[in-house]
Short mmCIF file of all heavy atoms in Angstrom, two decimals:
data_model
loop_
_atom_site.label_atom_id
_atom_site.label_comp_id
_atom_site.label_asym_id
_atom_site.label_seq_id
_atom_site.Cartn_x
_atom_site.Cartn_y
_atom_site.Cartn_z
N GLN A 302 28.79 -0.27 -0.07
CA GLN A 302 29.18 -0.07 -1.48
C GLN A 302 29.86 1.29 -1.65
O GLN A 302 30.91 1.39 -2.29
CB GLN A 302 27.92 -0.15 -2.35
CG GLN A 302 28.17 0.15 -3.81
CD GLN A 302 27.04 -0.37 -4.67
OE1 GLN A 302 26.47 -1.42 -4.39
NE2 GLN A 302 26.71 0.34 -5.73
N GLY A 368 -7.75 -14.16 -4.47
CA GLY A 368 -7.18 -15.37 -3.89
C GLY A 368 -7.19 -16.52 -4.89
O GLY A 368 -6.22 -17.29 -4.98
N PRO A 422 -15.13 -12.05 8.11
CA PRO A 422 -15.10 -10.65 7.68
C PRO A 422 -14.99 -9.69 8.87
O PRO A 422 -14.43 -8.62 8.73
CB PRO A 422 -16.42 -10.46 6.94
CG PRO A 422 -17.29 -11.59 7.35
CD PRO A 422 -16.40 -12.71 7.76
#
Side-chain angles (χ1 to χ4, degrees):
Chain A
Q302 175 161 325

